[in-house]
């Protein structure tokens, strides 16, 4: 499935948009969150005041450590994962991590309805 961008994420191509991204995000001031934030850029919990333009550039440019992040979260006791997206493509990767028990997406391609969202919520409910 083609994505209409003129750079390849997580590659040197992103370097061509670094200045544009820095300027576009310049007016955003990261705030402290009450919800813990686990980063896939530098796997581990991160203070959300660090989510500045530089962080989001690194997020787009560097390797995503998704599998490492899920492994670390699972080892620390997390077993339920919800992929919040228009189409769940990462749920399959999560299923490969031993100890990740309940995994679901929210929506699916061509199923972006409240019924789909509620069906996903029902899946979570019936799995504890």
């Amino acid at each position: 499935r083609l994505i209409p961008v003129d750079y390849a994420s997580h590659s040197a191509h992103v370097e061509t948009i670094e200045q544009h991204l820095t300027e576009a995000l310049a007016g955003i001031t990261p705030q402290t969150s009450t919800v813990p934030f686990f980063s896939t850029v530098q796997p581990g919990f991160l203070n959300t005041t660090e989510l500045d333009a530089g962080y989001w550039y690194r997020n787009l440019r560097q390797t995503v450590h998704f599998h490492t992040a899920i492994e670390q979260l699972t080892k620390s006791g997390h077993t339920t994962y919800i992929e919040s997206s228009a189409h769940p493509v990462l749920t399959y990767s999560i299923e490969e991590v031993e100890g990740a028990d309940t995994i679901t997406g929210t929506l699916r391609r061509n199923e972006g309805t409240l019924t789909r969202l509620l069906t996903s919520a029902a899946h979570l409910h019936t799995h504890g």
Side-chain angles (χ1 to χ4, degrees), residues 17-95:
I17 66 163
E18 181 179 11
Q19 185 62 37
H20 175 72
L21 186 62
T22 300
E23 291 170 5
L25 300 176
I28 297 173
T29 304
Q31 302 294 311
T32 300
S33 173
T34 57
V35 177
F37 183 89
F38 200 93
S39 174
T40 59
V41 174
Q42 50 205 48
F45 286 100
L46 186 67
N47 180 331
T48 54
T49 60
E50 297 177 45
L51 303 179
D52 59 6
Y55 173 85
W56 292 111
Y57 170 73
R58 289 188 309 279
N59 184 283
L60 192 58
R61 171 61 180 96
Q62 295 177 358
T63 300
V64 176
H65 300 281
F66 184 76
H67 186 79
T68 301
I70 297 298
E71 283 182 327
Q72 287 181 10
L73 285 166
T74 302
K75 285 179 184 174
S76 70
H78 298 273
T79 60
T80 301
Y81 297 91
I82 304 167
E83 181 179 356
S84 300
S85 66
H87 187 70
V89 295
L90 300 174
T91 55
Y92 305 107
S93 297
I94 299 169
E95 289 171 354

Side-chain angles (χ1 to χ4, degrees), residues 87-110:
H87 187 70
V89 295
L90 300 174
T91 55
Y92 305 107
S93 297
I94 299 169
E95 289 171 354
E96 294 177 359
V97 175
E98 186 176 334
D101 297 326
T102 305
I103 302 134
T104 190
T106 49
L107 305 174
R108 293 185 183 161
R109 192 171 293 121
N110 301 319

